[in-house]
Amino acid sequence: PPVDASGPFGYLAEKASTNLVVQSEDFTTSNWLKTAGTVTANAAIAPDGTTTADKWINSAGSNGSTSYLYQSQVLSGQRVISIYAKAAGLNFIRLDSGPWTANNFAIFSLLDGSVTQASPNSSTIASSTAVGNGWYRLQLAANTSTNQYTHLVAAQDAGTGNGSAGNGTDGVFVWGAQVELGTYPTSYIPTTTTAVTRNADVLIAGDMVTDAAGSAYTEASSIWATGSTHMLLCKSLGGQFLNSPDSAAVATYNGVYASAAGSGASYKDAPLPLAVTWGADLIVYKEGIGGTPATYNGQWGTGNLAIGSVNDSRFFWDGTIREVKIFNSELTAEEVG
């Protein structure tokens, strides 16, 4: 996700997403429409190590504008398509978020994964990721008002235009096609006969909190500036160690008392250290600076500690959370700082 690019990334908790492509690994089925070309099944080792990658071959005499593989769907608005591809005689591949007249396309080199030509449409974003053994995951995000969506795989032998005519033998290996709503691709979701939805990931720690005295710490960034409350570290609605009503404030709530710290820089798109301590007092810290102490009543309630939501999967955090630390003692202001 385009948040907190400083990394490093560890566990990636992803949002829910749906792969709208059917038969994402079997391009021989009738779900995939074929114009002036053929598909050879199981022609190469796929990125997952199985021999399930297919080969798309341009018909003899057909170039990238007349020989293509696609699925049509009725969609509008922001979407992103992705597919794994590898050269099989032809070194370039064109992806379209169509139709042709929408100018939402990119041509990729399968020699190095570079984008050799892209749509003049400013809403189109193309990129690739090398995954080894000559494979690249190609990604094309576009925003268009048209309702007719066409996912195109067009092999060609040149990095611009439509390339010259195919010879009926050369082509590209393809595997793992995905179309999803949103602005960036999520991890691959395999499909067969129907679209498949992956649920949002939920990361939960055990009931590790000491009620008598303790501290919790994390570094977090958000993708929003203002909005409803989002949870960072939480047991329940009555056990909110750290929550955020907006990107300039952080708060805590244990069902009876609350404390907040709202001064200083925003943590929108940039991680900042946040903490809470409890025992003699209940104090929230932002960048090492504590807010007004509140009286602590000695309890946080029962249940597991959830990271990035309430532990019943509500109030999801939109952004990054890292360096989570739970202490069994009430840290001093100096220690937090």
Side-chain angles (χ1 to χ4, degrees), residues 4 23 115 147 162 186 188 216 272 304 326:
D4 186 9
Q23 299 293 355
V115 178
N147 286 330
N162 297 315
T186 65
Y188 172 53
L272 292 181
N304 291 329
I326 305 295

Side-chain angles (χ1 to χ4, degrees), residues 1-6 9 12-15 183-186 223 318-320:
V3 178
D4 186 9
S6 63
F9 293 115
L12 175 61
E14 293 193 284
K15 66 177 182 180
T183 57
Y184 59 88
T186 65
I223 66 172
D318 266 338
T320 63

Side-chain angles (χ1 to χ4, degrees), residues 5-67:
S6 63
F9 293 115
Y11 173 78
L12 175 61
E14 293 193 284
K15 66 177 182 180
S17 192
T18 300
N19 185 358
L20 301 171
V21 166
V22 295
Q23 299 293 355
S24 63
E25 298 174 15
D26 189 354
F27 298 86
T28 66
T29 68
S30 59
N31 304 100
W32 286 97
L33 305 178
K34 306 161 183 73
T35 301
T38 58
V39 174
T40 300
N42 304 328
I45 297 175
D48 69 348
T50 62
T51 308
T52 54
D54 293 349
K55 181 180 179 182
W56 170 250
I57 303 169
N58 286 14
S59 296
S62 298
N63 62 26
S65 67
T66 56
S67 177

Side-chain angles (χ1 to χ4, degrees), residues 219-243:
E219 297 172 8
S221 68
S222 73
I223 66 172
W224 41 266
T226 60
S228 58
T229 298
H230 297 68
M231 299 300 168
L232 280 158
L233 305 176
C234 187
K235 275 189 172 186
S236 65
L237 292 181
Q240 303 172 31
F241 296 96
L242 289 169
N243 68 58

